Amino acid sequence: VKIKVRLFGTLGQNISGYRHSQEIEVEIPNGAMVRDLLTHLRISETQGVAVIAEGRILEVNDMLQDGSLVNVMQAVSGG
Amino acid sequence: MEMGMKFIRVNMNKKSIQVEDVPGEYAGLGGRGLTSTMINAEVPPKCDPLGPENKLIFAPGLLSGTPLPNTSRLSVGAKSPLTGGIKESNVGGTVAAALAHLGITAIIIEGQAPGGELSFLRIDEKGEASLVEAQAYKGQRTYELVEKLFGIYGEKTSVLCIGPAGEYRMNVASIQSTDVDGRPCRAAGRGGMGAVMGAKGLKALIIDQRGKSSDPIANPKAFKEAIKAIVEAVKADPMSGNVMPNLGTAALVAPVNAMGAFPSYNATRGTLDGWEKICGEAMAELIKERKGKTTHRGCDQCMIHCSNEFVGKDGQFVTSSLEYETIWATGGMTGIADLDTIARLDHLCDDIGVDTMSTGVAVAVAMDAGYKEFGDAKAAIEMIEEIGKGTEFGRILGSGPVAVGEHFNHARVPAIKGQSIAAYDPRAMLGLGVTYATSPMGADHTAGNLVGAYLEHMLDPLSPEGQVETSRFLQITMAAFDTMGQCFMANVALLSPNHFEAFRKVINAKLGTQLEPDDFPIALGIRVLKAEKEFNRKAGFTNEDDRLPRFFYDEPLPPHNTVFVISNEEIDKALDF
């Protein structure tokens, strides 16, 4: 499945030349879960990371749908 | 009792200053715990907040000025003209440490200067306080004022001051505090503390930073050891150790929009069109391109460096620090997705001396009522300039969002107890609604903010389950940390039983006490909240004041199209001590 991903916080710094809010396309196997996407993106620590699609925070075991847009974000506790 | 620590009481009628030892009943208190306890004990609850019976209290946190990092919060307390209830608004910068180094536990401003007289309160290197005539500075904006004051008193000076809005006694008037670089860009913004200061006839506090009379630490060796654990926890936390120094609080723009909870266009939608243009990541890129500072130390003894310096296209300083709540109020609520405009509005608010949050929301309510179009940057700048000039309409805006709603007969005013909500819509983050409804401060962004709990998968923002309990826990914990003078950014790294234990060791080493696990943060936080609720009850508040405005229950918020669904009975349990 192909997933459109946007990286936020300091996560974009893992990819050289990444500009804020830029969509990148990621191909992962059918049936892949949020956890697999994070592994693919080399985001090892799940603590403090929130994957948000269509306004909802996904859990690591949630399955990803082909063509969906997900925002990979970091937890912040208030401003 | 703390050895040698003192209260400075200033009577503005008599122009007299009294120094007294800290009474025993206030031992172990500082910051919010001290201001709230004193206001509850000393201020007549039904008094006019802008009259002589109100008291304005400045108190560094219990641990301010000690070697524990991130403890430079100063609490400012009084009865609020905005809410009619008790208020504590805390601010960073350099003042808290400066006062603590002078051995000052609190400054209490009483009475009222006769007939528009204006004074400075000067505290010199030895901690001696004196009133200085300040009539020549009447109407001056804060940046110009502090520049003059540094010229007179030297660079080793901390200033707390009001701008014209405070002199006009406006409900949204702030007290501005100088940062490490001497700019009046930090604000005790909420609740109209600037109006109380203006009503007292006090233009500025001018405090020497070279004091050497800090309260002794009971067990210095144990203290040094105990703070190591706190420093390590703050460094290791992903937010305070990584996100804050890189992006600051503006890092919240993206996740809150992605969650559909960013109150936009006066809380008619949960996502701002073009939020990607004003998110923290966009701001960091823009600041880097223009060679400003994406990370900056704004407060004494800070190790997090969440501050920034926003510069214009010409590389010149515009404002510091551009923060999440400001970006939301002046950008999201008004529909202005442009960082240059937002930065300019932030500077303008600091310079006039108004709370960016209440002011942005007041502008948004006027726009929603049809006064101007959402997204009209020129109109927003002009409206806020009117506040500074004290025009008739400027005074309506400066009275806050509720007054603006009344002026236009417009019911959609997102305020609780008169104070505007913060940058989280309670229909899409239910727990924030619980905090907004029940905090004795009115709607508030630090009193018990659940956004981190949502992003850390601890609870679902759209399900009622766990919201009341989490709000309660956070409100209690924050009241305790606000008493210590520790910054919110560090507090949220320390919300576990292990960290509470580590923090108790710091307090014990400081005071020579033996606190039990129940004592901190829970018992202390409850004690503070009880005092605040008691004051509000005596001022006439009931449970019926702990409710959200009607539209949060009736108008679904896109994109989730949900309303606020927590019952009044559940709400009333949040702080039912």
Side-chain angles (χ1 to χ4, degrees):
Chain A
V1 295
K2 286 180 180 167
I3 310 287
K4 284 177 273 181
V5 176
R6 299 196 297 179
L7 302 167
F8 290 92
T10 57
L11 299 171
Q13 293 169 4
N14 294 347
I15 295 172
S16 86
Y18 185 82
R19 300 274 304 191
H20 79 84
S21 312
Q22 189 187 338
E23 273 179 30
I24 52 173
E25 197 170 72
V26 169
E27 192 158 358
I28 46 175
N30 277 336
M33 294 184 286
V34 167
R35 177 185 287 115
D36 305 314
L37 175 68
L38 293 176
T39 307
H40 184 90
L41 294 168
R42 294 195 298 277
I43 297 169
S44 51
E45 79 288 12
T46 49
Q47 192 215 345
V49 172
V51 177
I52 305 178
E54 293 177 1
R56 300 303 296 254
I57 299 175
L58 305 180
E59 297 303 323
V60 286
N61 294 329
D62 285 343
M63 205 115 83
L64 292 162
Q65 304 298 321
D66 189 38
S68 58
L69 170 67
V70 303
N71 297 297
V72 185
M73 307 187 130
Q74 287 167 313
V76 180
S77 290
Chain B
M1 201 191 86
E2 294 150 303
M3 262 177 52
M5 293 299 282
K6 59 194 177 192
F7 282 167
I8 295 179
R9 283 187 194 266
V10 182
N11 186 301
M12 299 302 292
N13 293 89
K14 300 178 192 156
K15 294 204 166 29
S16 63
I17 293 170
Q18 275 187 315
V19 179
E20 56 191 60
D21 291 337
V22 175
E25 71 253 37
Y26 295 127
L29 290 177
R32 176 175 169 185
L34 183 61
T35 61
S36 288
T37 310
M38 285 187 84
I39 287 158
N40 186 37
E42 296 190 10
V43 174
K46 292 192 187 289
C47 76
D48 173 5
L50 302 179
E53 290 178 314
N54 200 4
K55 298 189 184 191
L56 180 65
I57 306 176
F58 301 95
L62 186 74
L63 297 172
S64 298
T66 71
L68 179 68
N70 314 313
T71 51
S72 287
R73 302 302 291 190
L74 177 85
S75 289
V76 183
K79 177 174 176 177
S80 163
L82 182 74
T83 68
I86 198 164
K87 174 57 61 181
E88 183 262 2
S89 181
N90 67 64
V91 59
T94 62
V95 178
L99 287 175
H101 293 157
L102 290 163
I104 297 168
T105 300
I107 297 172
I108 303 123
I109 311 294
E110 304 179 345
Q112 189 155 41
E117 278 182 21
L118 212 51
S119 301
F120 297 136
L121 180 67
R122 162 72 177 153
I123 301 178
D124 71 13
E125 196 178 343
K126 295 192 175 94
E128 298 287 329
S130 56
L131 284 166
V132 179
E133 204 255 334
Q135 218 60 31
Y137 299 87
K138 201 173 177 64
Q140 208 150 80
R141 294 189 175 192
T142 67
Y143 271 82
E144 188 187 359
L145 174 71
V146 298
E147 206 178 310
K148 287 187 179 156
L149 293 178
F150 285 127
I152 298 166
Y153 295 99
E155 298 290 317
K156 295 279 178 199
T157 301
S158 298
V159 177
L160 279 174
C161 63
I162 56 169
E167 292 180 43
Y168 299 144
R169 308 175 183 192
M170 288 173 169
N171 287 346
V172 303
S174 60
I175 297 176
Q176 296 294 130
S177 164
T178 49
D179 71 351
V180 167
D181 299 308
R183 293 176 296 228
C185 59
R186 306 243 145 223
R190 309 239 72 194
M193 294 297 93
V196 179
M197 190 157 156
K200 297 285 173 212
L202 190 62
K203 179 72 175 168
L205 262 73
I206 305 160
I207 300 144
D208 199 296
Q209 293 176 350
R210 293 168 297 183
K212 291 186 177 61
S213 320
S214 292
D215 188 39
I217 290 167
N219 187 342
K221 205 174 149 203
F223 192 84
K224 204 172 160 189
E225 199 53 41
I227 67 176
K228 281 184 193 163
I230 304 299
V231 168
E232 277 167 24
V234 172
K235 268 191 195 159
D237 184 81
M239 171 178 152
S240 52
N242 176 27
V243 182
M244 283 302 114
N246 278 288
L247 299 170
T249 55
L252 271 165
V253 174
V256 179
N257 272 282
M259 293 165 78
F262 192 69
S264 303
Y265 314 98
N266 194 34
T268 52
R269 287 161 58 189
T271 309
L272 176 74
D273 292 335
W275 62 262
E276 292 89 346
K277 289 188 279 184
I278 62 165
C279 64
E281 294 78 0
M283 182 169 76
E285 282 188 16
L286 187 66
I287 291 176
K288 274 182 195 156
E289 274 167 27
R290 294 175 175 179
K291 307 206 182 320
K293 290 181 186 167
T294 53
T295 185
H296 169 250
R297 188 169 69 95
C299 307
D300 259 344
Q301 288 178 289
C302 168
M303 56 173 269
I304 298 172
H305 299 193
C306 77
S307 177
N308 54 50
E309 283 184 4
F310 190 94
V311 295
K313 291 187 183 104
D314 55 1
Q316 295 296 306
F317 174 84
V318 177
T319 196
S320 176
S321 162
L322 198 50
E323 304 270 0
Y324 173 62
E325 304 292 343
T326 299
I327 293 172
W328 158 74
T330 61
M333 286 294 271
T334 59
I336 300 170
D338 175 59
L339 281 171
D340 282 306
T341 303
I342 292 168
R344 187 169 164 192
L345 293 174
D346 182 45
H347 176 82
L348 197 51
C349 287
D350 288 349
D351 208 23
I352 293 168
V354 289
D355 174 22
T356 57
M357 296 169 68
S358 289
T359 302
V361 175
V363 169
V365 171
M367 286 177 164
D368 197 19
Y371 179 69
K372 297 283 173 182
E373 294 288 317
F374 283 120
D376 188 341
K378 188 168 162 277
I381 293 167
E382 284 169 3
M383 286 160 82
I384 296 177
E385 278 288 5
E386 286 205 51
I387 299 179
K389 288 174 189 148
T391 66
E392 199 170 331
F393 185 63
R395 285 172 192 266
I396 293 166
L397 283 173
S399 298
V402 172
V404 174
E406 283 166 4
H407 177 74
F408 288 109
N409 285 323
H410 188 72
R412 194 187 299 108
V413 180
I416 292 95
K417 298 186 180 73
Q419 182 162 282
S420 83
I421 64 162
Y424 322 83
D425 198 291
R427 292 164 288 186
M429 289 187 176
L430 293 170
L432 269 297
V434 178
T435 299
Y436 293 159
T438 57
S439 169
M441 299 298 147
D444 190 286
H445 65 297
T446 62
N449 192 332
L450 288 82
V451 64
Y454 303 138
L455 287 165
E456 285 169 17
H457 307 256
M458 290 160 69
L459 69 170
D460 178 352
L462 296 167
S463 159
E465 196 183 339
Q467 308 290 349
V468 170
E469 295 80 358
T470 309
S471 170
R472 176 188 172 95
F473 169 76
L474 289 171
Q475 289 197 62
I476 292 169
T477 309
M478 290 302 147
F481 276 124
D482 285 345
T483 299
M484 299 297 138
Q486 184 172 260
C487 171
F488 181 90
M489 304 303 148
N491 297 346
V492 293
L494 301 172
L495 297 177
S496 74
N498 286 347
H499 293 136
F500 293 153
E501 189 187 344
F503 207 89
R504 281 193 294 275
K505 286 184 182 164
V506 175
I507 303 171
N508 284 336
K510 166 71 175 74
L511 298 176
T513 48
Q514 290 296 326
L515 295 182
E516 299 293 324
D518 288 344
D519 294 337
F520 181 91
I522 302 301
L524 177 61
I526 289 175
R527 178 182 167 194
V528 175
L529 286 163
K530 268 183 161 174
E532 291 168 350
K533 281 176 64 88
E534 186 178 291
F535 181 89
N536 281 357
R537 264 198 304 276
K538 289 185 289 184
F541 285 81
T542 69
N543 285 359
E544 290 310 302
D545 296 292
D546 292 352
R547 305 289 178 254
L548 302 184
R550 195 66 244 163
F551 76 95
F552 285 126
Y553 301 90
D554 294 342
E555 286 183 26
L557 181 76
H560 293 294
N561 295 313
T562 48
V563 295
F564 186 72
V565 290
I566 297 181
S567 70
N568 293 343
E569 292 70 30
E570 286 297 308
I571 290 272
D572 292 342
K573 287 180 194 163
L575 300 184
D576 184 16
F577 304 126

